[in-house]
Each structure stands twice: as structure tokens, then as C-alpha cells.
Amino acid sequence: MSARTSDNKKLLDALATLESALESPFVPGELESWVQNAHAALQRVDPLLRHQIAEVNTPLLDEIETEDPGLIARVEQMRECDEKCLSELNTLNRTFETLSDLVDDIEPNETKLKSQLDDLVQRGLKFVIQVRTQLVALRTWLQEAFDRDRGTVD
């Protein structure tokens, strides 16, 4: 198994753990534990995603652009998606940190945070899907760059 494949698997496993943590129900009296578990899962994704984008995606996008200049628009879309993923990762981390501070003060009356938690879960799940979609798109467009029939140009 190549290092790239191993790194990709680690990221996918971490995303699955995050997804599972986010989908876990909020149990009364256990909100602090839920926030800690979900945040810890996000923190496992953090360095893996940053590595994926900097050390894997960026060079592969450069390779796609070099191999098939006709895919420059797609490459730019994927670069933007990487930036959005990093931005959302930062936002989710800040949201978890804020919630961690609030949970201590509000634990007996957790329903006050219900809408914030629901929003966090939705944003987190959307983030997981966005990262997975980007990984599939990268694989697809890399293969397309090498296999694409460009007519008489080939």
C-alpha cells in the first residue's frame, strides 16, 4: 500500500469517526461528554486533512493541470474546495471550543443549546461529505487527465 493510499485511508477513517460522533444522540446529562467526543474526533481529522491538502492534493492538482491544461477550470474549482474545507475545519474547531465553554455553565438546562448543537451537527456532517466528495473528485480528475481523449491532440 502506498503512503498516499495509507494517508487517504487514515483520513477516511477519521472522517467516519467524526460522522459517527456527530450522529450520536444528545443524552441528557451527557452533553459535555458528547461535545468532548465530537471535538476530539474533529481534532483527529484536522492534521490529516491539512496534510492531505498540502502534501497530496496540491501536487496532484499541479499534475492534473500539467497533464491536461483543458482541466484548468476543474483544478481551480478543486483548489477552491480545498480552501473551503480548511475554512470550515477552522470554523468547526472554533464552534466546538465555544460550546465547550458554554456546556459547563448550562449543563442542567441543556435545551438552551439545542439549536446551536443541531446547527453544529448539520455543518459537521456537511463538512464530512464535502471532504469525501473532494477526495473522489481528485481521483476522478487525475484519471481523466491521463485517460481523456483529446482528439487529434493525443
Side-chain angles (χ1 to χ4, degrees):
M1 180 184 296
S2 75
R4 199 181 283 174
T5 305
S6 175
D7 289 346
N8 193 281
K9 179 161 177 17
K10 288 177 188 175
L11 176 57
L12 289 171
D13 289 346
L15 288 167
T17 301
L18 174 59
E19 180 180 35
S20 179
L22 290 168
E23 290 175 336
S24 298
F26 311 122
V27 177
E30 299 295 324
L31 184 58
E32 183 175 5
S33 176
W34 184 92
V35 169
Q36 288 172 350
N37 289 337
H39 193 199
L42 180 67
Q43 289 174 324
R44 282 191 293 279
V45 168
D46 192 309
L48 296 170
L49 180 60
R50 291 181 194 284
H51 171 80
Q52 175 73 30
I53 290 171
E55 304 298 327
V56 179
N57 292 17
T58 298
L60 287 178
L61 290 170
D62 292 344
E63 190 174 344
I64 293 168
E65 196 171 46
T66 300
E67 183 62 30
D68 188 347
L71 294 176
I72 289 175
R74 289 281 183 200
V75 168
E76 287 308 311
Q77 285 176 338
M78 289 188 289
R79 289 184 201 281
E80 288 173 17
C81 185
D82 279 347
E83 288 302 314
K84 287 178 185 173
C85 287
L86 290 175
S87 176
E88 187 62 20
L89 176 64
N90 293 333
T91 299
L92 287 168
N93 268 313
R94 283 191 306 273
T95 302
F96 270 113
E97 290 164 6
T98 300
L99 276 175
S100 293
D101 294 340
L102 292 175
V103 165
D104 293 337
D105 299 331
I106 206 160
E107 186 90 53
N109 196 357
E110 296 166 350
T111 56
K112 290 181 179 178
L113 291 178
K114 175 108 173 80
S115 67
Q116 285 177 282
L117 290 167
D118 288 343
D119 181 56
L120 175 61
V121 167
Q122 292 309 307
R123 286 187 77 159
L125 292 174
K126 182 178 176 185
F127 167 76
V128 168
I129 291 168
Q130 184 178 24
V131 173
R132 285 181 180 148
T133 301
Q134 179 73 343
L135 293 173
V136 171
L138 187 62
R139 252 191 341 261
T140 301
W141 290 111
L142 179 63
Q143 183 175 349
E144 182 69 13
F146 285 93
D147 296 343
R148 191 166 135 179
D149 181 4
R150 292 181 284 276
T152 57
V153 176
D154 287 342

